[in-house]
Amino acid sequence: MAESGGAEGTNNSAGTHDDVVDEQTAVQLVYRPQSADALVGLRVRERIKRTGLLLRGVFLALWVGQWLLSTVGRGSIDVVSTVLFLFVVLLVWGYPRLQAAQVQRIVGWQGEYRATVSPAGITCRTDHSTLIQKWSVFQGYRETAGHFVLLSRDPNISWLGVLPKRGVQEGEGLDRLRAILDEHTPRV
């Protein structure tokens, strides 16, 4: 039997067109996640959703009102009421920081993150895992002074992707990264 050298037969290519990363446009980030990265992401999500910010504001206003009424009603400052009020203020102020510390405990043990942002999506690798995300996962992104925060498409924005700018190794990498993000997902 003769072997056919034509186009028919099995496809031995390494992957589909979507799986190929164009080295010219892809941007590499190498970084170790920090608690401050998660805090930036949580703050961006809070500003976009506004529900948590509103609830925390109402909760704090109610406590301020309770403290003022008890102080005016007694004619003097009650120590227990004041301590409880200060505890609530500390709790409302510290809650996002506690969340960021928890996120850091979850992701920090994996060590160095190597993220590749390309027209196909985002691939993030550590020594322990690989996460591949297509652009359809994201509803958009927001740029801050030191980060790009990608927001998940679900209504609660239950997942965030935070890309620290300090992870970009090459000089023009930030401009290419911004261009890729602008092309594939809107700014929010």
Side-chain angles (χ1 to χ4, degrees):
M1 290 188 72
E3 290 185 21
S4 172
E8 296 177 15
T10 60
N11 181 359
N12 292 328
S13 66
T16 64
H17 176 67
D18 290 339
D19 295 334
V20 177
V21 174
D22 183 6
E23 295 298 325
Q24 299 290 335
T25 59
V27 178
Q28 302 287 327
L29 289 90
V30 179
Y31 61 93
R32 286 190 176 276
Q34 299 173 355
S35 184
D37 299 334
L39 185 59
V40 167
L42 290 169
R43 284 181 175 160
V44 165
R45 180 178 74 177
E46 192 172 81
R47 286 186 185 112
I48 289 172
K49 282 181 58 174
R50 297 177 196 240
T51 307
L53 191 59
L54 178 67
L55 288 175
R56 286 185 18 211
V58 167
F59 184 67
L60 190 58
L62 288 172
W63 270 93
V64 167
Q66 183 274 336
W67 182 77
L68 285 173
L69 286 175
S70 69
T71 301
V72 170
R74 288 190 183 99
S76 66
I77 295 176
D78 180 35
V79 175
V80 174
S81 182
T82 302
V83 168
L84 282 173
F85 170 69
L86 292 175
F87 175 74
V88 167
V89 168
L90 184 64
L91 187 66
V92 168
W93 174 82
Y95 185 70
R97 287 155 186 79
L98 292 172
Q99 282 183 304
Q102 180 65 26
V103 169
Q104 180 61 27
R105 281 191 291 277
I106 292 169
V107 300
W109 69 271
Q110 294 187 46
E112 185 176 80
Y113 278 61
R114 296 169 301 283
T116 303
V117 181
S118 71
I122 300 174
T123 303
C124 189
R125 291 181 175 83
T126 70
D127 291 340
H128 305 282
S129 66
T130 300
L131 176 63
I132 300 171
Q133 304 147 9
K134 295 189 180 231
W135 292 112
S136 59
V137 172
F138 305 108
Q139 68 170 296
Y141 82 97
R142 181 162 293 177
E143 183 175 358
T144 68
H147 301 83
F148 292 98
V149 179
L150 294 124
L151 306 157
S152 67
R153 188 171 293 283
D154 64 289
N156 291 323
I157 311 174
S158 58
W159 185 85
L160 299 169
V162 180
L163 299 172
K165 291 179 180 178
R166 70 177 182 280
V168 177
Q169 304 299 315
E170 55 222 38
E172 71 280 351
L174 281 178
D175 293 331
R176 283 197 346 252
L177 177 58
R178 192 175 294 109
I180 291 171
L181 292 173
D182 284 336
E183 182 179 340
H184 296 284
T185 185
R187 289 181 187 239
V188 291

